Amino acid sequence: MSDTTENTGDGTRAVRAGLPEPVRNEPTLPGPVFAAHFHLPGEVGGPYTYGRDENPTWTLLEQAIGELEAPGEDGVQTLVFPSGMAAISAVLFSQLRAGDTVVLPSDGYQVLPLVRAQLEAYGIEVRTAPTGGDAQLEVLDGAKLLWIETPSNPGLDVCDIRRLVEAAHARGALVAVDNTLATPLGQRPLELGADFSVASGTKQLTGHGDVLLGYVVGRDGEAMTAVRRWRKIVGAIAGPMEAWLAHRSIATLQLRVDRQNATALVLAEALRGRPEVTGLRYPGLPEDPSYKVASQQMRRYGCVVSFALPTRARADRFLDALRLVDDATSFGGVRSTAERRGRWGGDAVPDGFIRFSVGAEDPEDLVADVLRALAESAD
């Protein structure tokens, strides 16, 4: 298989990641392998025995993701899952037992309260603290696992991964970082000391809104062995077609990320100072509260901009007036999306809060559409 080096550029790494060694007259990226079982005469052996355990299409995708998350680092394992929540659940439920304590962000992904309820039902103590200001430091004592989400979704607060990792490890806790919003081109949690990098590949990693996928990357050892065992026990496996589509999509990751991140900054700058816009957040804005910490650990700031409009009605009118932006959930796609996040009920945000995911449209067209929609939605 291909072995991209640590010093290779992001674009080169993305287009080459996970490709097998070239074979005459064979495709550079083999098609998806649809197989529930494999030829297996005699004693059990070899990498592929049964479709719930391994699949050649997963193998190539896992190598590709590992090369992006930890380029040049030996001894790193990657496991793909059918969704981001499957990946999150695999880490939490494979590492924690009754009587353990886990620290979660209080401002993270809106499904985390459901996860908390399930953990507590299994006799696991759950503590929470906000992402901003490294507040999770205050509740680390006695924890088995610290879960970090940075930038947080949807508030876009950032915490100091290195600082939290050092504090957690000093207390004997493992650290998992949700790297969904940043992508491995934005930050590499394992390089910052984390034990796991976890993400929803549904978002910007694949970037076309047509694949549900998740992954866990960690160093070889008991922790990743437990994650793999959990995947086998619960059967949380990605379909080969989804895995192949994801691998194909990674080839354009650097192109998409650079375009979307640059446009996100342009949009944030255009919204800055607008009288109807409050709570504007984008980690790449120099005046953003997260800018200093983000600049120390992130190479790119993400494609999501958040802000609030005065009322729920104003936010709804704004979304209805947009022409180049779909009113849809999720983020990271090549087509811009936006939504009034409060409609889901799981985030502590104002009624007029907008999570805006910047796509790959021309920046001037997108900004013009947003400014026009703001004007048309005024009372």
Side-chain angles (χ1 to χ4, degrees):
M1 296 180 185
S2 66
D3 181 20
T4 55
T5 67
E6 185 177 3
N7 296 322
T8 300
D10 286 340
T12 302
R13 188 178 300 112
V15 300
R16 303 293 307 174
L19 296 182
E21 293 295 335
V23 176
R24 183 180 177 86
N25 302 128
E26 293 293 326
T28 54
L29 177 61
V33 175
F34 299 100
H37 57 262
F38 302 84
H39 288 295
L40 195 65
E43 295 297 320
V44 174
Y48 305 110
T49 59
Y50 186 61
R52 188 184 63 244
D53 298 326
E54 295 290 350
N55 177 287
T57 310
W58 304 349
T59 301
L60 296 179
L61 174 61
E62 289 170 345
Q63 169 137 353
I65 294 172
E67 290 176 11
L68 297 176
E69 285 276 357
E73 185 172 341
D74 295 328
V76 170
Q77 288 188 40
T78 303
L79 297 171
V80 295
F81 290 83
S83 69
M85 279 309 305
I88 290 171
S89 298
V91 173
L92 291 171
F93 292 107
S94 70
Q95 305 303 313
L96 298 169
R97 303 287 184 273
D100 288 341
T101 298
V102 61
V103 176
L104 301 178
S106 59
D107 54 346
Y109 182 45
Q110 54 104 2
V111 180
L112 287 181
L114 297 178
V115 173
R116 175 177 185 165
Q118 192 63 57
L119 289 167
E120 291 175 337
Y122 289 155
I124 297 164
E125 180 186 351
V126 179
R127 303 173 189 161
T128 63
T131 299
D134 299 341
Q136 289 171 302
L137 286 171
E138 303 301 320
V139 292
L140 274 179
D141 286 349
K144 174 73 177 297
L145 176 67
L146 167 64
W147 190 274
I148 295 171
E149 185 179 301
T150 180
S152 61
N153 172 28
L156 302 183
D157 273 322
V158 172
C159 60
D160 187 332
I161 296 175
R162 290 185 187 90
R163 184 185 181 200
L164 285 165
V165 165
E166 289 175 2
H169 284 173
R171 292 163 172 81
L174 296 170
V175 180
V177 177
D178 187 328
N179 205 34
T180 302
L181 201 147
T183 83
L185 269 60
Q187 69 189 9
R188 298 179 186 141
L190 268 61
E191 289 185 358
L192 300 171
D195 300 287
F196 303 101
S197 181
V198 187
S200 168
T202 307
K203 312 298 194 297
Q204 198 169 20
L205 185 84
T206 56
H208 291 78
D210 54 7
V211 172
L212 285 172
L213 194 87
Y215 68 81
V216 179
V217 183
R219 295 181 179 87
D220 287 337
E222 293 182 7
M224 282 301 289
T225 297
V227 176
R228 183 183 295 274
R229 183 170 61 246
W230 177 267
R231 183 175 73 172
K232 179 183 177 72
I233 291 170
V234 302
I237 58 173
M241 189 66 193
E242 286 78 7
W244 184 85
L245 285 169
H247 197 171
R248 177 214 59 175
S249 299
I250 285 175
T252 62
L253 179 61
Q254 183 260 341
L255 298 172
R256 292 184 281 105
V257 163
D258 280 353
R259 175 60 172 263
Q260 291 170 258
N261 285 209
T263 305
L265 179 58
V266 171
L267 176 63
E269 290 171 339
L271 293 171
R272 186 171 50 192
R274 296 281 306 193
E276 69 272 70
V277 171
T278 58
L280 174 66
R281 296 299 303 272
Y282 183 66
L285 279 175
E287 66 268 29
D288 189 273
S290 293
Y291 179 76
K292 182 179 179 180
V293 174
S295 298
Q296 294 169 352
Q297 65 191 22
M298 299 183 73
R299 296 178 299 130
R300 295 170 175 86
Y301 298 104
C303 65
V304 176
V305 177
S306 68
F307 57 94
L309 294 175
T311 64
R312 171 177 177 171
R314 176 69 187 275
D316 287 338
R317 292 198 302 271
F318 166 71
L319 293 169
D320 288 342
L322 291 166
R323 297 170 183 167
L324 299 180
V325 183
D326 296 329
D327 190 342
T329 195
S330 197
F331 57 85
V334 291
R335 290 173 290 277
S336 291
T337 60
E339 68 172 337
R340 191 181 62 78
R341 192 63 185 166
R343 65 183 176 174
W344 296 97
D347 296 308
V349 295
D351 283 343
F353 181 93
I354 301 292
R355 185 181 70 180
F356 197 110
S357 173
V358 175
E361 298 88 359
D362 289 312
E364 56 272 21
D365 293 337
L366 185 64
V367 170
D369 189 44
V370 170
L371 296 181
R372 180 197 49 76
L374 284 174
E376 290 184 5
S377 62
D379 292 334

